[in-house]
Amino acid sequence: MSNRPILEQRARIRSCIRELFDGRGFIEVDTPVLSAEVLPEAYIDPLPVQVDHGRPPHYLQASPEALMKRLLAGGSGPIYQFARSFRAGERGDRHDVEFVLLEWYAPGTTLDDTAGLLEQLCRAALGTRGIERISCRDAFATHAGIDPLTASLDDWRAAGARAGVRLPERHEETADGWFEIILADVLTPRLGRGRPTMLEAWPVSQAAFARIDPGAPPVARRFELFVDGVELANGWEEETSREVLLDRIAAANRIRESDGRGMLPVPHRVVAAHGASMPEGVGAALGFDRLVMLAAGADSIDAVRCFSSRDA
């Protein structure tokens, strides 16, 4: 069977995305796949690579975030790239050890601007119309009967019982654990039906590297995008403070250590890029293979790739 249709479809979608971003004044960039630094995240494991005998390892990047942020601090302006990305232990219908991320950074923008860009992108690639914007608070109330911003652990247990979901074995029982399993098993299949859904205003504990919007209660200026029950993209209004970034890295490493997965080194060059030279704005990442999968009406990213980690 010819692989030509897969190659043509991937090229066609790349072309329409490039036209969209180039038309908005973005510059397409390339950053190294292999770097001495990686931004530590609690539940993402980068792949270490020994480059020079006896020296600390480099890492195959889980995303181009760290290096693209260094470009931003150097005055790049709005940038995007199609990045080869790597994550240990991830394999399934919508995951693989190696995959392609479309990642972009837009200085001086907000999630309102991002909603317009995402609506255009999904229209061009998938033929959708419009975009739904909903807060975590409203989405969890509608689909799981719980307020994720104020719920106690007992409230989460009750919501899990009502939905018929359980935490994985040996998974520490926390509010964040329940949030993630209910989001994955209960909300995700229901989101993005009819039109893409942008899930916003996340609990502070789920902020990652997003800035916090003070309020009662405060929320993280983060989003995830869902199309037909598939998580397609995520991002946030970036936290630019060096001190806050160090606190977030330390928190991620504490979780990694408690899970027995080991702490990752502090990425000092990325940290140094934050502060006065780091522009405020939005950073986002979209699973390109998932986008092509949705465009093709397929059930697996393997259906729209010529090679996977199983046969490369």
Side-chain angles (χ1 to χ4, degrees):
M1 182 176 179
S2 172
N3 58 23
R4 181 79 182 186
I6 292 174
L7 297 174
E8 288 179 340
Q9 186 166 41
R10 292 177 72 89
R12 185 166 56 250
I13 293 176
R14 280 181 191 266
S15 180
C16 76
I17 289 172
R18 284 191 169 109
E19 183 177 356
L20 172 62
F21 278 90
D22 292 348
R24 284 173 166 254
F26 285 75
I27 296 175
E28 185 174 4
V29 300
D30 298 292
T31 56
V33 168
L34 194 62
S35 175
E37 293 192 343
V38 63
L39 262 175
E41 296 192 54
Y43 302 107
I44 294 177
D45 291 324
L47 288 167
V49 176
Q50 197 66 50
V51 176
D52 297 309
H53 181 69
R55 298 184 64 182
H58 282 52
Y59 296 92
L60 291 172
Q61 296 296 290
S63 89
E65 179 176 3
L67 291 156
M68 291 183 78
K69 284 182 173 176
R70 288 170 61 185
L71 292 180
L72 283 173
S76 67
I79 52 178
Y80 75 99
Q81 76 169 302
F82 294 92
R84 309 302 308 193
S85 302
F86 302 82
R87 297 182 184 182
E90 297 202 11
R91 188 69 184 91
D93 289 341
R94 296 169 187 174
H95 302 268
D96 203 353
V97 174
E98 180 179 356
F99 57 99
V100 179
L101 276 179
L102 167 66
E103 189 144 334
W104 69 90
Y105 291 86
T109 64
T110 67
L111 293 187
D112 292 337
D113 303 305
T114 303
L117 189 155
L118 290 169
E119 195 280 332
Q120 280 190 282
L121 190 156
C122 289
R123 180 189 295 250
L126 302 175
T128 59
R129 293 290 185 271
I131 192 167
E132 176 190 26
R133 301 178 66 180
I134 187 171
S135 69
C136 277
R137 196 170 213 175
D138 288 344
F140 273 79
T142 298
H143 298 296
I146 191 168
D147 184 344
L149 304 184
T150 62
S152 67
L153 195 52
D154 284 341
D155 293 332
W156 283 113
R157 290 188 188 111
R162 287 194 301 273
V165 298
R166 296 182 180 180
L167 291 175
E169 288 186 19
R170 297 183 297 277
H171 195 292
E172 183 180 359
E173 188 180 31
T174 64
D176 281 334
W178 278 113
F179 176 95
E180 289 156 11
I181 197 69
I182 290 176
L183 173 62
D185 289 1
V186 180
L187 270 68
T188 294
R190 295 171 169 83
L191 297 177
R193 300 296 180 180
R195 57 177 173 163
T197 296
M198 192 169 168
L199 183 65
E200 303 179 59
W202 285 54
V204 168
S205 60
Q206 295 281 329
F209 301 118
R211 76 172 183 87
I212 302 302
D213 190 0
V219 294
R221 295 285 292 175
R222 174 180 174 178
F223 79 90
E224 285 192 0
L225 182 74
F226 299 85
V227 177
D228 289 336
V230 175
E231 180 202 339
L232 182 60
N234 71 85
W236 44 71
E237 293 179 9
E238 298 284 351
E239 175 55 65
T240 62
S241 164
R242 194 173 296 167
E243 293 73 21
V244 173
L245 177 62
L246 283 168
D247 287 344
R248 303 272 180 89
I249 290 170
N253 267 330
R254 284 194 295 272
I255 294 172
R256 295 183 61 84
E257 188 174 34
S258 68
D259 286 348
R261 290 182 294 111
M263 298 174 67
L264 292 167
V266 174
H268 293 291
R269 284 179 288 191
V270 182
V271 172
H274 283 66
S277 62
M278 181 63 71
E280 295 183 351
V282 173
L286 180 147
F288 180 73
D289 301 308
R290 293 186 185 185
L291 181 67
V292 182
M293 177 191 78
L294 288 165
D299 295 325
S300 168
I301 60 173
D302 287 349
V304 294
R305 301 190 300 169
C306 294
F307 302 101
S308 73
S309 63
R310 290 192 177 113
D311 53 27

